[in-house]
């Protein structure tokens, strides 16, 4: 019961956080008649996270309320397809955001890096295009392998294949973090050589980007481990282990949007504005 309450709270908080990001960016887009690449990624990421949360909760509700319905092949395939697509975009959009931060903030004199830095929009677009190819291969492989197998084993096979494919965005994000750390180290070394302060604008930008991408990696690691444990456990069973895995996994799509809000000045100011208005409303209500 406690884990089910935690799952419900995570679901509500996650939907509110992601919906807030999408709403703020859409309102700003309507107001300014234009939207930056970073805001496009954030909006798409927020919408994909909402899809992930709903697919997980729907699967959980069906499995807990009607075990016979859950164990039908059609239901398993449908839920798995929705989760695979939304989860894929959630992870790859977050990785693309890390690539965007890296190319915008990092400082390298390498000609290849400078070439990519000047074409950051094309790099992000190509990354997402490659991810679409991987999504296609992922989906085809799942249905090719599971087509002739008993549907009771569909879930476990699907999770294994998804874990293999979803290791790619984690690897990309890990490389981004390592390169950002290396760029920051070179920048601090250059600053010390020039006898300047170590807390200039570039250093601050590096630190903020590292905080955002590192938080994504940590939350993704928890999500990844919960998926592995979820596969080891009996899929669809109403057990403490399964619910605990889901509660731990949902921390990622529910908690990461608040990391993004705190790391983005526009979203942070909008959140403080909303909280301020709510505080004033509660004061007016109090006798």
């Amino acid at each position: 019961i406690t884990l089910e309450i935690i799952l419900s709270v995570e679901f509500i908080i996650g939907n509110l956080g992601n919906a807030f990001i999408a709403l703020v960016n859409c309102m700003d887009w309507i107001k300014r008649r234009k939207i930056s690449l970073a805001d496009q990624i954030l909006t798409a990421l927020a919408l994909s996270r909402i899809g992930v949360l709903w697919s997980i909760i729907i699967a959980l509700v069906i499995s807990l309320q009607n075990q016979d319905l859950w164990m039908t092949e059609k239901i398993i395939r449908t839920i798995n397809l929705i989760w695979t697509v939304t989860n894929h975009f959630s992870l790859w959009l977050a990785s693309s955001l890390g690539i965007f931060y890296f190319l915008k903030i990092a400082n390298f004199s390498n000609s290849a890096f400078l070439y990519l830095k000047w074409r950051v929009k094309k790099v992000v677009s190509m990354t997402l295009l490659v991810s679409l190819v991987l999504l296609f291969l992922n989906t085809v492989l799942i249905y090719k392998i599971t087509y002739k197998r008993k549907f009771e084993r569909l879930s476990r096979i699907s999770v294994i294949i998804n874990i293999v494919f979803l290791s790619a965005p984690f690897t990309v994000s890990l490389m981004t973090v390592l390169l950002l750390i290396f760029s920051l180290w070179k920048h601090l070394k250059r600053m010390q050589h020039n006898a300047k302060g170590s807390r200039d604008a570039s250093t601050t930008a590096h630190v903020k980007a590292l905080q955002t991408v590192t938080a994504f990696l940590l939350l993704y690691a928890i999500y990844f481990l919960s998926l592995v444990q979820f596969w080891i456990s009996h899929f669809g069973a109403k057990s403490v282990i399964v619910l605990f895995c889901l509660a731990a996994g949902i921390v990622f799509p529910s908690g990461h949007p608040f990391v993004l809000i705190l790391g983005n000045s526009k979203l942070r100011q909008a959140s403080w504005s909303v909280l301020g208005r709510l505080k004033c409303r509660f004061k007016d209500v109090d006798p």
Side-chain angles (χ1 to χ4, degrees):
I1 293 174
T2 302
L3 288 171
E4 288 177 0
I5 293 172
I6 292 173
L7 278 167
S8 301
V9 172
E10 287 177 328
F11 175 72
I12 294 170
I13 291 176
N15 274 284
L16 289 174
N18 286 298
F20 176 80
I21 293 174
L23 184 61
V24 170
N25 285 331
C26 287
M27 290 177 65
D28 188 64
W29 183 13
I30 294 171
K31 181 180 179 181
R32 298 176 182 273
R33 300 294 178 88
K34 62 180 181 179
I35 183 170
S36 66
L37 178 59
D39 286 345
Q40 290 178 38
I41 298 173
L42 284 170
T43 305
L45 177 59
L47 294 175
S48 66
R49 292 273 170 79
I50 292 173
V52 171
L53 288 169
W54 276 96
S55 64
I56 293 174
I57 290 299
I58 290 172
L60 179 64
V61 170
I62 292 175
S63 64
L64 295 181
Q65 297 297 326
N66 194 334
Q67 187 69 23
D68 294 332
L69 177 62
W70 171 248
M71 290 309 295
T72 60
E73 183 176 354
K74 185 177 180 180
I75 292 294
I76 292 178
R77 286 186 184 276
T78 304
I79 294 295
N80 180 68
L81 178 62
I82 295 172
W83 177 83
T84 299
V85 173
T86 55
N87 188 62
H88 178 92
F89 283 113
S90 170
L91 296 175
W92 274 105
L93 285 166
S95 298
S96 298
L97 188 63
I99 293 172
F100 174 83
Y101 287 147
F102 165 67
L103 292 176
K104 282 289 186 180
I105 295 169
N107 292 311
F108 293 108
S109 57
N110 184 275
S111 58
F113 172 78
L114 293 175
Y115 178 84
L116 295 175
K117 188 180 182 72
W118 296 331
R119 294 163 178 81
V120 59
K121 191 171 183 177
K122 288 185 178 180
V123 173
V124 172
S125 299
M126 284 301 299
T127 302
L128 294 175
L129 185 61
V130 171
S131 77
L132 287 176
V133 176
L134 292 176
L135 175 61
F136 175 76
L137 293 175
N138 186 4
T139 307
V140 169
L141 188 58
I142 287 175
Y143 282 87
K144 282 271 187 179
I145 292 177
T146 59
Y147 183 73
K148 295 181 179 180
R149 295 179 183 268
K150 293 181 179 181
F151 63 84
E152 289 88 352
R153 302 180 62 189
L154 291 180
S155 57
R156 293 192 176 189
I157 296 170
S158 300
V159 171
I160 293 171
I161 295 172
N162 282 322
I163 286 174
V164 172
F165 273 91
L166 297 179
S167 299
F170 180 82
T171 304
V172 171
S173 298
L174 181 60
M175 290 175 62
T176 302
V177 168
L178 295 176
L179 288 170
L180 276 171
I181 292 173
F182 182 60
S183 175
L184 177 60
W185 175 75
K186 286 188 67 177
H187 176 71
L188 292 176
K189 192 175 180 180
R190 194 182 306 117
M191 295 293 291
Q192 290 175 357
H193 180 73
N194 295 332
K196 294 181 180 179
S198 61
R199 199 67 179 176
D200 64 330
S202 181
T203 304
T204 304
H206 272 84
V207 172
K208 286 185 177 180
L210 278 171
Q211 288 174 343
T212 302
V213 182
T214 303
F216 164 71
L217 280 176
L218 291 174
L219 290 171
Y220 185 27
I222 295 171
Y223 184 63
F224 186 86
L225 292 174
S226 68
L227 273 181
V228 174
Q229 184 58 48
F230 186 67
W231 163 66
I232 294 172
S233 306
H234 181 65
F235 191 89
K238 187 176 182 180
S239 67
V240 174
I241 295 176
V242 170
L243 290 176
F244 179 79
C245 291
L246 286 173
I250 289 182
V251 170
F252 175 54
S254 296
H256 191 236
F258 295 97
V259 175
L260 296 175
I261 291 171
L262 293 175
N264 184 288
S265 59
K266 180 179 70 177
L267 294 174
R268 187 171 60 250
Q269 289 174 4
S271 64
W272 285 121
S273 176
V274 171
L275 290 174
R277 291 179 181 180
L278 289 174
K279 188 176 179 180
C280 291
R281 288 278 182 91
F282 282 121
K283 283 185 177 180
D284 293 339
V285 172
D286 289 338

